[in-house]
Amino acid sequence: MSDQNLVELQGIHKAFGDNVVLAGVDLSVARGEVIVIAGPSGSGKSTMLRCVNGLETPDRGEITFDGRPVKPGKGLSALRAEIGFVFQQFHLFPHMSVLDNIVLAPTKVKGVARDAARTRGQELLERVGIAEKAHQFPAELSGGQQQRVAIARALAMDPKLMLFDEPTSALDPEMIREVLDVMRDLAREGMTMLVVTHEMGFAREVCDRLVFIDGGLIVEEGPPAEFFANAQSERAREFVDKIIHH
C-alpha cells in the first residue's frame, strides 16, 4: 500500500443471504481525494461505505484505512473514531441541545476537556453556518440545519476521512444546496471524502473521481466531466441519460 492512499479496498465481497451486494470491489482512495459513488438503487453503494468504517464486515476481501486493517476486534473503535459518517437520516439525540450533540463524542470517546470541546463545537457550528442554533434542540431546526449539525458533529472528532451516505436525499429541495455548500467547502479544504449521492451537479463540480457501481461491481470510474461526456459502458450511459433528462 502506498503512503498517499488513505483507504484501500481489495476484492470486497458481501452478500445478505442470497442477495450478492458487492461482488469483488477494488478501490484506492488517495489522501485529499473526493470521490462520488454513483449508481442505481441497490447497487451496493451504501454497503461499500459501511464496510469502509467497519459497520459491515465483508465476506471476503481486505480493507485498509491509514495503513491499518479494518476488521472486527479491539482496534476497530479507535479506527472508527477517525472516520466521520453522515447518514441520510441525521441521527441527532433529540433530548440534547445542538451543541451538546457535537460535544458528546469528543468528550466521551477522546477525553477532550468539556470547555475545549464546547469552544471547538461553537467554531464548527460557525463553519456550517448555524452558530446561532447552538442552544436549540434538533426538533426546532429544519432538515437542512439538522444535517449541517450532523456534519459538524462528525468533524468534531477531527476525522481523517468523511463518509456521506446520500446526505441530501431526505431533504426538501430548498435545503439541499445549504448542505452541499458545506460539503463543497470541506472538499476545498482538502478533506478526504467518499460521497454516495444522486446530486450530479455536485459530483461534476467538486469530485476528483466518479465511481460508477452497478450489480455489486465498479463498472467504470474517472473524472466526472469525462464520465458525463463519454460513459463507456451501456449501464453507465443509461444512468447518465436518466440524470440528464430527469
Side-chain angles (χ1 to χ4, degrees):
M1 152 153 182
S2 60
D3 286 344
Q4 76 267 32
N5 285 340
L6 183 62
V7 183
E8 299 245 358
L9 287 79
Q10 289 169 322
I12 299 303
H13 287 76
K14 179 73 181 174
F16 297 104
D18 295 336
N19 180 18
V20 176
V21 186
L22 298 173
V25 168
D26 298 308
L27 182 68
S28 298
V29 184
R31 288 171 197 279
E33 193 174 19
V34 177
I35 294 181
V36 163
I37 302 160
S41 288
S43 56
K45 306 182 299 286
S46 295
T47 302
M48 187 173 123
L49 278 196
R50 294 169 72 86
C51 286
V52 169
N53 84 334
L55 280 172
E56 297 283 359
T57 306
D59 302 327
R60 294 213 306 280
E62 287 184 349
I63 301 177
T64 51
F65 167 71
D66 205 17
R68 292 165 288 166
V70 179
K71 57 176 202 287
K74 61 177 188 339
L76 185 60
S77 56
L79 187 143
R80 199 181 274 159
E82 297 176 20
I83 302 177
F85 206 137
V86 178
F87 300 88
Q88 193 173 340
Q89 303 299 340
F90 325 120
H91 297 310
L92 299 172
F93 292 110
H95 62 285
M96 294 171 81
S97 73
V98 162
L99 187 57
D100 285 338
N101 264 285
I102 292 171
V103 166
L104 185 68
T107 51
K108 284 267 189 297
V109 180
K110 288 182 105 173
V112 176
R114 195 166 165 78
D115 284 353
R118 286 179 77 86
T119 304
R120 170 97 171 111
Q122 197 62 58
E123 281 165 14
L124 287 168
L125 284 173
E126 189 87 44
R127 185 169 167 187
V128 300
I130 42 175
E132 74 287 355
K133 303 290 185 191
H135 302 296
Q136 290 183 283
F137 288 88
E140 302 174 86
L141 274 55
S142 72
Q145 290 168 338
Q146 289 187 58
Q147 190 59 293
R148 286 186 282 157
V149 173
I151 294 172
R153 179 180 59 181
L155 293 174
M157 291 294 280
D158 289 320
K160 293 178 180 166
L161 170 68
M162 285 285 284
L163 305 175
F164 292 90
D165 192 0
E166 305 209 16
T168 60
S169 61
L171 299 177
D172 294 335
E174 70 275 11
M175 294 170 192
I176 290 175
R177 170 134 220 116
E178 64 196 49
V179 173
L180 293 178
D181 282 342
V182 170
M183 293 168 64
R184 200 175 278 120
D185 290 345
L186 260 186
R188 288 203 187 105
E189 289 160 19
M191 175 62 78
T192 312
M193 293 164 60
L194 276 176
V195 185
V196 171
T197 185
H198 294 289
E199 296 293 332
M200 290 299 119
F202 173 83
R204 192 174 294 200
E205 192 188 334
V206 177
C207 83
D208 300 303
R209 190 159 38 126
L210 191 138
V211 170
F212 180 76
I213 190 167
D214 185 35
L217 287 167
I218 292 176
V219 181
E220 62 183 281
E221 53 183 295
E226 207 170 285
F227 178 85
F228 290 115
N230 191 19
Q232 299 299 310
S233 64
E234 197 176 324
R235 285 309 303 256
R237 279 199 302 273
E238 280 171 22
F239 178 81
V240 170
D241 283 348
K242 248 193 212 125
I243 279 171
I244 289 171
H245 303 119
H246 187 48

